Amino acid sequence: MFKRTIPLTALALALLTACGGNGGTASGGDNSFTLYVSGDVNVRDLYQKTLIPGFEKANAGVKVNLVFSEHGQNDTSMLNRLGASVKTDSEPPFDIMDAGAVKNAARGQFVDVLTAQKIPNLSKIDQKMLDPVDSRAMPYRGSSVVLAYDSTKVTAPPKTMAELIDWIKANPGKFTYNSPNTGGSGDAFMNTVLTMHMDPASAEKASQAYDKNVETQWKAGLDVLKSLTPMVYQRVYPNGNQEVINLLSKGEIAMAPVWSDQILAAKDSGLIKDNIKLTQIADPPFTGSLTYIGLAANSTHKDAAYKWFNYVLEKEPQAEIVRKMAGYPVISPSELPAELQDKFTGLDTTEFRQGFETQTDSDAKEAWQKNVP
Amino acid sequence: MTAVAQRVRTRNRTRLRGFLLALPPVLVIAFFIGLPVIAAIAYTFGYSGGINSVVAALAQKQHLVDGAAPTFDAYREVLGDSSFRTDLLVTVIVTIVTVVLVMVLSWAIALYARFSRGVLAKLVTALAVVPMFIPVVIASYAILTFYSTDGFTRTLFHLLGWEDSPALAYKMTGVTVGQVWTHLPFGVLLISSGLSSVPDTLIDAARDAGASMSRAVRAVMIPMAALPTIIVATFTGIGVLGSFTVPYLIGPNAPNMLGVSMAQYYQSFNQAQQAVVMAVVVFVLAAGIGYFYVRANAKSARGSGRL
């Protein structure tokens, strides 16, 4: 009897593992590596049509395997698999990670410290961008949150955050931002209102390291956010960045914070018409964010992977990031072709304000959820 | 060897064979479901070793222990939080209201289809089952646009002259509508098949003995369709308790059902332990509902001599 049951059990286990294994593991020879990338279709296109072909052309013989996860659905499970593989010293599920979760991986020390010895182009990057992740991850593109407004309805857009809040109160139902836990543009709006009411030193600290003490200064900002709830469109905060852009394109709202790359891409595709204009506000400006990539600490293909890190900071891929997805370059814009330098008129691409550090940001989202809606 | 001992041995051997036959699925369930559940529950009491070490290395605001004694701080924090208690209350209310509505509607439709065999009855039954073939995400979006402030119902009432008719979208009433929408087909299918297995002769006999129609339903049909009724009630209850898509898309930002809160705590607030505590609370509630299901099944099995 046992003879018959044990193979059956083994078969069932094997089948289940086979089903679960669609994530792919880092495999192949020394001249290949696996990229785990999460994001929207624009990110997938950037990799499949631009970065990977360009890299393989520049580095003949190196093969890139792409594992793409739409909207980062697999981020948490990939992060856990990476953590488990580091702890058990086994093969990681990927070599390079491009996902929001890479910052958590840096905190858990599941990704390696990157140095300019291994990646010469790393010296092109401002050290300030590497500090929040202890140099365990490297930014390769950026985007910031900007204020989009309908120029047929708004002739004089607000210039400062205080003016924006006044405008929202004076025009009920014409403004909205997505709930911070569903997308970065709403998160940036929340961050900006909270930062307005913090002293500058604490605000600076909150973007660098986790310190619960600064959170006591959020009370005033949360009260302002709460007072805006009856003023936003339909008195309910939409889910996700895209939903806000849809409301803008339908003309339901006249103003909203949006991601620069998403709105510029929507303009290119025609979803957003020319009546929607972009501007950045001041005192304080909306935050921007950098997209980081990290190298699995236990990767067995590090040499090939370093070539990727170096490649994405070259002039050509950086220019392509600007052209193809309206992303901000992380190297100095003066290195880019002249025709790309005026693409972001009115928007500051080099000096944008950093958002809260990851854990602080999680706490801010929780505070928003409990106090604002 | 006596005949009795022989019989006991044969029975034991049959039992062993049955157990061994069931062993592979039992092992699979124990390994893929049982073990993670035990690990997750251990995590809520602060044990961060072994398979919990990865999640414990990443999450924040955890309550962990070094020694062997468990800590109840995670439970204390979550259960003491007023927004969690509101979410729990909302979840329980939506669950109860949905179960009641689904029961009433599916019984009404099933009875109507049982007694009136016309085209209309068939049409109503078919229409009630349609939602089963529509993905929940699509249905939720449809319900949202249908009942939103600029949706169909408001527009219709506006044309009829009612200016401030209520909008159900982004309210718990809208969520309840969505829950009933998604759970009704199962109820209608099960109860109408339960009712159609009641022989006409039994109903006729009751009617001949002078029972009114409602008496015949109460004394004959309800007892005979008791098992499907309990199955519908328990499955609907458990399904609504743990639902995510409907409240996430249709519901308000806050308060909302626990399925949404759990996802927020796990993904957005990076508080895995608190999310698991909520999951344990939902698990306990669902187990309470499941008890009625198991009891009804056991009773029915005993009635037919299988136990």
Side-chain angles (χ1 to χ4, degrees):
Chain A
M1 189 50 74
F2 271 109
K3 266 183 192 150
R4 214 172 295 161
T5 19
I6 288 171
L8 260 180
T9 320
L11 182 71
L13 284 172
L15 271 176
L16 273 162
T17 5
C19 296
N22 61 353
T25 47
S27 56
D30 280 343
N31 259 342
S32 78
F33 58 87
T34 302
L35 272 169
Y36 171 74
V37 177
S38 76
D40 238 313
V41 189
N42 58 340
V43 178
R44 190 180 61 200
D45 283 351
L46 176 74
Y47 271 89
Q48 280 180 339
K49 295 181 182 159
T50 311
L51 292 182
I52 293 177
F55 173 80
E56 290 182 342
K57 210 167 134 195
N59 297 275
V62 186
K63 174 99 182 58
V64 183
N65 307 311
L66 177 69
V67 177
F68 183 75
S69 162
E70 195 148 308
H71 298 151
Q73 285 157 340
N74 300 327
D75 279 8
T76 314
S77 71
M78 276 294 186
L79 185 62
N80 286 333
R81 282 174 64 187
L82 172 67
S85 77
V86 170
K87 287 195 187 261
T88 56
D89 206 14
S90 53
E91 188 87 344
F94 52 79
D95 300 296
I96 300 177
M97 180 182 220
D98 173 5
V102 78
K103 288 185 185 171
N104 289 330
R107 198 157 48 76
Q109 309 198 343
F110 303 152
V111 283
D112 247 359
V113 173
L114 305 169
T115 60
Q117 280 112 43
K118 301 281 186 191
I119 306 162
N121 282 340
L122 200 64
S123 55
K124 292 185 189 178
I125 291 186
D126 191 346
Q127 182 62 32
K128 225 169 63 187
M129 297 172 171
L130 300 173
D131 285 340
V133 287
D134 303 327
S135 298
R136 284 181 185 274
M138 175 192 99
Y140 76 100
R141 65 184 165 90
S143 55
S144 64
V145 173
V146 297
L147 187 70
Y149 64 97
D150 188 335
S151 58
T152 56
K153 293 173 187 153
V154 184
T155 43
K159 291 194 176 59
T160 64
M161 196 60 197
E163 281 177 37
L164 173 59
I165 289 172
D166 290 343
W167 189 92
I168 297 167
K169 289 183 173 168
N171 297 275
K174 290 293 164 198
F175 175 89
T176 200
Y177 64 99
N178 60 275
S179 48
N181 52 50
T182 61
S185 58
D187 189 49
F189 183 82
M190 168 191 76
N191 171 301
T192 310
V193 175
L194 293 182
T195 304
M196 264 175 97
H197 297 89
M198 292 167 80
D199 68 72
S202 306
E204 174 71 21
K205 204 169 167 191
S207 73
Q208 297 295 332
Y210 186 43
D211 178 5
K212 277 194 73 68
N213 293 328
V214 303
E215 298 177 9
T216 52
Q217 299 185 17
W218 287 350
K219 177 85 179 65
L222 287 169
D223 286 344
V224 173
L225 288 168
K226 191 169 175 54
S227 73
L228 295 181
T229 300
M231 305 294 163
V232 300
Y233 176 70
Q234 295 196 350
R235 295 186 192 83
V236 76
Y237 297 93
N239 290 326
N241 303 313
Q242 187 62 45
E243 197 59 33
V244 174
I245 293 183
N246 292 347
L247 289 173
L248 264 178
S249 92
K250 283 191 280 185
E252 298 279 329
I253 53 173
M255 203 182 280
V258 294
W259 278 115
S260 59
D261 55 346
Q262 230 174 354
I263 193 89
L264 289 169
K267 277 191 156 202
D268 286 345
S269 75
L271 173 70
I272 290 288
K273 300 283 181 293
D274 285 340
N275 62 328
I276 303 291
K277 299 249 187 292
L278 307 179
T279 184
Q280 182 56 279
I281 53 150
D283 299 327
F286 287 135
T287 57
S289 92
L290 297 164
T291 303
Y292 286 83
I293 53 176
L295 173 61
N298 51 345
S299 163
T300 50
H301 308 97
K302 284 188 181 168
D303 287 336
Y306 283 135
K307 289 180 185 155
W308 177 270
F309 281 86
N310 203 48
Y311 170 76
V312 291
L313 297 183
E314 297 281 355
K315 282 177 205 169
E316 193 41 36
Q318 287 287 312
E320 286 297 308
I321 285 168
V322 179
R323 269 188 216 115
K324 296 283 164 59
M325 69 181 309
Y328 296 166
V330 289
I331 60 175
S332 165
S334 58
E335 287 198 47
L336 299 179
E339 88 269 10
L340 294 179
Q341 292 179 14
D342 59 343
K343 178 152 183 152
F344 304 108
T345 316
L347 311 175
D348 191 348
T349 62
T350 47
E351 268 296 312
F352 46 74
R353 197 165 65 81
Q354 295 274 328
F356 290 141
E357 170 279 337
T358 331
Q359 283 177 288
T360 316
D361 189 42
S362 297
D363 285 353
K365 287 173 185 165
E366 187 194 0
W368 184 92
Q369 178 65 33
K370 286 185 175 166
N371 293 294
V372 176
Chain B
M1 192 187 289
T2 64
V4 173
Q6 178 76 38
R7 217 163 40 232
V8 167
R9 267 188 59 178
T10 319
R11 201 173 63 199
N12 282 346
R13 197 175 299 158
T14 323
R15 280 193 174 167
L16 181 70
R17 194 174 297 157
F19 174 71
L20 288 177
L21 266 176
L23 193 59
V26 166
L27 279 180
V28 168
I29 289 177
F31 189 75
F32 285 99
I33 298 176
L35 196 62
V37 166
I38 291 167
I41 291 175
Y43 180 49
T44 62
F45 291 113
Y47 298 108
S48 59
I51 45 180
N52 288 332
S53 60
V54 173
V55 66
L58 296 167
Q60 66 197 69
K61 289 193 178 172
Q62 302 178 95
H63 305 277
L64 301 179
V65 288
D66 290 329
T71 170
F72 298 95
D73 286 350
Y75 285 90
R76 209 166 284 139
E77 186 202 324
V78 172
L79 299 176
D81 178 17
S82 67
S83 65
F84 167 77
R85 289 204 302 267
T86 322
D87 286 352
L88 179 64
L89 184 70
V90 162
T91 308
V92 170
I93 292 174
V94 169
T95 307
I96 293 172
V97 173
T98 306
V99 168
V100 170
L101 284 176
V102 166
M103 298 309 289
V104 169
L105 285 173
S106 33
W107 261 92
I109 294 170
L111 275 177
Y112 178 49
R114 176 71 176 79
F115 288 116
S116 143
R117 298 200 163 140
V119 182
L120 191 64
K122 280 196 183 118
L123 209 67
V124 168
T125 319
L127 199 61
V129 177
V130 163
M132 186 167 265
F133 306 101
I134 297 173
V136 182
V137 178
I138 309 288
S140 302
Y141 260 116
I143 291 168
L144 188 64
T145 40
F146 196 78
Y147 294 113
S148 69
T149 41
D150 54 354
F152 177 80
T153 44
R154 288 254 303 180
T155 316
L156 188 70
F157 285 131
H158 176 80
L159 290 175
L160 295 174
W162 187 10
E163 287 299 334
D164 52 350
S165 62
L168 300 185
Y170 303 122
K171 298 205 174 63
M172 287 331 281
T173 36
V175 173
T176 313
V177 170
Q179 300 284 16
V180 171
W181 208 92
T182 45
H183 288 93
L184 189 62
F186 179 68
V188 170
L189 277 181
L190 234 68
I191 292 180
S192 45
S193 83
L195 287 187
S196 64
S197 69
V198 178
D200 279 346
T201 45
L202 281 183
I203 301 164
D204 292 344
R207 300 279 280 156
D208 286 349
S212 66
M213 197 62 215
S214 66
R215 180 74 198 267
V217 168
R218 259 186 296 135
V220 179
M221 303 196 83
I222 290 184
M224 290 201 71
L227 186 62
T229 305
I230 288 172
I231 292 177
V232 169
T234 50
F235 277 42
T236 306
I238 292 173
V240 176
L241 263 186
S243 62
F244 170 77
T245 315
V246 169
Y248 177 71
L249 289 174
I250 308 177
N253 299 112
N256 209 333
M257 294 183 67
L258 283 177
V260 180
S261 316
M262 275 186 261
Q264 277 172 354
Y265 270 80
Y266 185 65
Q267 291 167 352
S268 302
F269 309 156
N270 194 24
Q271 297 179 22
Q273 199 182 21
Q274 285 78 350
V276 181
V277 169
M278 293 179 188
V280 170
V281 172
V282 172
F283 178 76
V284 169
L285 289 179
I289 301 176
Y291 165 77
F292 290 102
Y293 169 70
V294 171
R295 200 183 65 168
N297 257 331
K299 207 169 150 194
S300 135
R302 215 175 289 126
S304 58
R306 280 180 284 131
L307 202 78

